[in-house]
């Protein structure tokens, strides 16, 4: 379990862009935007953020949905999955302190 | 929860009194005011009071400020928006008008994706929503005809979902004479129009609130002074001793003029009957 959580933590902060994305969504949990919009909000390009956003989507931390007839894709934080992940990380960090 | 006669209270007692008890349920209310007039504060207060006093969940949809800035600003009034979000009484949704417009296109036609607000509505079952701001929304629409159609679509979506809405609108022309409240002719689409306007009186800036229109209900026609205090917006008494406030050139009524007005009031009633 602790190795799983260690892997999870490493996956969450394996790049500078991921930490920027985590900060953005934790400070603004109600943000709903396109990849382009998200990239702009952290001062990056679409290409730079695409891979890390995909990894967070695979992890379930972010979710994607399509809007209206235009089928425009937007990304947002999955609040319940985020709470689960935060609890796992907290358990892992508490374990390290002991 | 709303009152028995379907009023949605703002939770500001003097303001609810002006509205004969509150807004009517599912009404779309346009709040027009200049920058710094307190539109955002009023919007937040409407949602916070809704959640804490009446058990109504709400959505703050912002196109302008990032949520973290709203959380900080709200804290200065003693409102903990994050705590309300954790209790599912509130959601601060930050997005672009472009995405709200994309949400609307094709919605309900069976072949489209969902509306951006659908999942939030399912999550917290809100009764109230504030949109900050319709002026920003308008920038993303090419012409007036399309703007009227898209505003109508948005308002009808909110009504269909049972939401009572405050649509914030920045109206720079309110600094001087009041002409059209909006430049785009969308004012007839809403059920109620509130004006929040700064006025210069004896070399100091004071703030005036007026209800320009409230469809289907009586309301107070007086211009009321309001202040933005550390606990939010507080309404004062009507500006009874000034005239010309909405034109941007207020004049203090002389004692003689006030006496003449008081003297003429009973006769004005009599003239109507005649």
């Amino acid at each position: 379990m602790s190795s799983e959580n260690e892997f999870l933590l490493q996956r969450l902060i394996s790049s500078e862009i991921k930490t920027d994305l985590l900060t953005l969504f934790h400070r603004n949990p109600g943000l709903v935007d396109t990849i382009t919009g998200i990239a702009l909000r952290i001062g990056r390009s679409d290409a730079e953020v695409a891979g890390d956003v995909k990894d967070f989507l695979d992890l379930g931390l972010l979710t994607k949905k399509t809007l209206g007839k235009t089928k425009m894709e937007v990304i947002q934080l999955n609040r319940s999955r985020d709470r689960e992940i935060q609890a796992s990380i907290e358990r892992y960090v508490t374990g390290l302190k002991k | 929860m709303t009152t028995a006669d379907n009023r949605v209270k703002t939770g500001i007692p003097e303001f609810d009194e002006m509205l004969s008890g509150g807004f009517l349920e599912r009404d779309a209310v346009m709040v027009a005011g200049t920058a710094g007039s307190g539109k955002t504060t009023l919007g937040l207060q409407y949602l916070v009071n809704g959640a804490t006093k009446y058990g109504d969940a709400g959505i703050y949809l912002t196109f302008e400020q990032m949520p973290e800035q709203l959380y900080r600003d709200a804290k200065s009034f003693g409102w903990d928006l994050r705590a309300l979000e954790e209790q599912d009484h509130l959601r601060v949704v930050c997005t672009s008008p472009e995405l709200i417009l994309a949400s609307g296109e094709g919605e309900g036609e069976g072949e489209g994706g969902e509306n951006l607000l659908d999942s939030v509505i399912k999550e917290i079952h809100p009764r109230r929503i504030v949109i900050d701001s319709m002026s920003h929304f308008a920038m993303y629409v090419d012409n007036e005809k399309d703007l009227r159609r898209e505003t109508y679509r948005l308002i009808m979506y909110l009504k269909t979902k049972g939401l009572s809405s405050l649509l914030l609108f920045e109206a720079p022309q309110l600094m001087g004479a009041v002409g059209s409240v909006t430049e785009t002719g969308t004012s007839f689409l809403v059920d109620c129009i509130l004006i929040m306007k700064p006025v210069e009186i004896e070399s100091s800036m004071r703030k005036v609130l007026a209800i320009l229109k409230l469809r289907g209900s009586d309301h107070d026609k007086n211009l009321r002074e309001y202040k933005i205090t550390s606990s939010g917006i507080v309404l004062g008494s009507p500006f009874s001793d000034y005239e010309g406030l909405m034109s941007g050139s207020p004049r203090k009524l002389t004692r003689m003029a006030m006496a003449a007005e008081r003297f003429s009031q009973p006769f004005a009633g009599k003239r109507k009957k005649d």
Side-chain angles (χ1 to χ4, degrees):
Chain A
M1 189 67 179
S2 83
S3 64
E4 261 179 51
N5 288 339
E6 187 182 349
F7 175 70
L8 178 63
L9 180 61
Q10 282 172 357
R11 191 170 166 187
L12 284 172
I13 55 170
S14 61
S15 76
E16 200 179 324
I17 288 175
K18 278 185 172 176
T19 57
D20 290 346
L21 287 170
L22 282 176
T23 307
L24 176 73
F25 280 103
H26 281 164
R27 286 186 179 164
N28 305 285
L31 178 65
V32 185
D33 214 337
T34 57
I35 289 245
T36 306
I38 289 166
L40 270 175
R41 290 178 197 270
I42 57 168
R44 307 275 184 169
S45 69
D46 296 22
E48 280 177 294
V49 303
D52 289 333
V53 166
K54 188 184 176 308
D55 197 30
F56 281 170
L57 285 168
D58 293 342
L59 197 60
L61 179 64
L62 299 179
T63 55
K64 193 196 291 192
K65 61 180 169 189
T66 50
L67 302 177
K69 205 175 181 178
T70 59
K71 299 280 175 76
M72 198 178 260
E73 286 186 340
V74 291
I75 310 286
Q76 67 184 106
L77 183 72
N78 179 343
R79 290 180 194 239
S80 55
R81 179 72 179 129
D82 180 51
R83 276 194 291 269
E84 280 172 21
I85 290 173
Q86 285 198 47
S88 300
I89 299 299
E90 199 179 329
R91 278 196 300 275
Y92 172 69
V93 174
T94 309
L96 284 182
K97 283 180 187 167
K98 284 177 184 171
Chain B
M1 193 194 344
T2 54
T3 52
D5 60 348
N6 292 336
R7 296 283 176 166
V8 181
K9 289 181 176 291
T10 65
I12 305 168
E14 301 81 4
F15 191 22
D16 287 330
E17 220 169 88
M18 283 181 81
L19 294 161
S20 303
F23 299 118
L24 289 166
E25 198 175 18
R26 279 186 296 223
D27 265 5
V29 178
M30 175 187 279
V31 182
T34 52
S37 59
K39 300 182 296 298
T40 299
T41 307
L42 178 67
L44 288 172
Q45 200 165 353
Y46 170 71
L47 294 180
V48 170
N49 285 346
T52 57
K53 294 183 178 175
Y54 310 110
D56 291 347
I59 299 172
Y60 196 96
L61 175 61
T62 170
F63 302 136
E64 298 180 1
Q65 284 173 278
M66 289 292 276
E68 62 175 321
Q69 199 181 335
L70 277 171
Y71 298 141
R72 187 202 60 200
D73 296 349
K75 271 242 164 102
S76 65
F77 296 108
W79 305 326
D80 189 345
L81 303 187
R82 275 192 178 265
L84 290 174
E85 286 198 299
E86 275 162 29
Q87 295 156 14
D88 282 346
H89 291 321
L90 178 75
R91 284 286 183 276
V92 179
V93 177
C94 171
T95 192
S96 155
E98 195 181 5
L99 300 180
I100 291 291
L101 288 162
S103 285
E105 283 177 40
E107 197 222 345
E109 291 174 16
E111 57 183 51
E114 60 183 310
N115 187 294
L116 191 141
L117 295 173
D118 283 348
S119 55
V120 187
I121 291 171
K122 276 179 201 150
E123 258 174 53
I124 66 164
H125 307 291
R127 302 293 300 275
R128 302 173 181 224
I129 186 166
V130 174
I131 300 186
D132 190 359
S133 71
M134 293 306 288
S135 326
H136 200 148
F137 180 81
M139 286 178 202
Y140 284 77
V141 186
D142 292 336
N143 56 58
E144 288 190 15
K145 191 179 157 202
D146 287 350
L147 178 60
R148 278 194 289 276
R149 190 189 63 234
E150 293 307 326
T151 305
Y152 178 74
R153 193 202 306 271
L154 178 61
I155 288 173
M156 293 319 288
Y157 171 81
L158 302 177
K159 283 177 184 271
T160 304
K161 298 293 178 189
L163 292 164
S164 303
S165 56
L166 291 196
L167 312 171
L168 311 189
F169 192 96
E170 192 164 322
Q173 76 272 26
L174 290 178
M175 281 305 283
V178 178
S180 169
V181 174
T182 76
E183 293 158 356
T184 51
T186 53
S187 53
F188 68 91
L189 297 174
V190 296
D191 306 293
C192 174
I193 300 176
L194 305 178
I195 303 280
M196 299 174 82
K197 180 179 158 60
V199 286
E200 186 194 339
I201 295 175
E202 290 163 4
S203 301
S204 70
M205 292 307 285
R206 290 160 72 177
K207 292 182 166 79
V208 173
L209 186 138
I211 303 168
L212 215 62
K213 156 181 169 180
L214 180 56
R215 205 176 265 161
S217 172
D218 193 18
H219 60 89
D220 187 344
K221 276 86 179 174
N222 283 313
L223 305 182
R224 299 283 289 255
E225 180 167 17
Y226 68 94
K227 286 183 177 154
I228 303 174
T229 70
S230 59
S231 54
I233 285 179
V234 175
L235 258 68
S237 48
F239 273 104
S240 54
D241 46 355
Y242 286 90
E243 63 177 11
L245 288 164
M246 298 308 274
S247 70
S249 312
R251 291 172 302 280
K252 194 171 172 69
L253 289 167
T254 61
R255 279 185 183 182
M256 187 64 86
M258 284 194 284
E261 198 174 316
R262 271 200 294 273
F263 180 73
S264 66
Q265 273 169 3
F267 297 103
K270 190 172 184 299
R271 271 199 301 276
K272 255 185 208 169
K273 280 176 200 165
D274 294 345

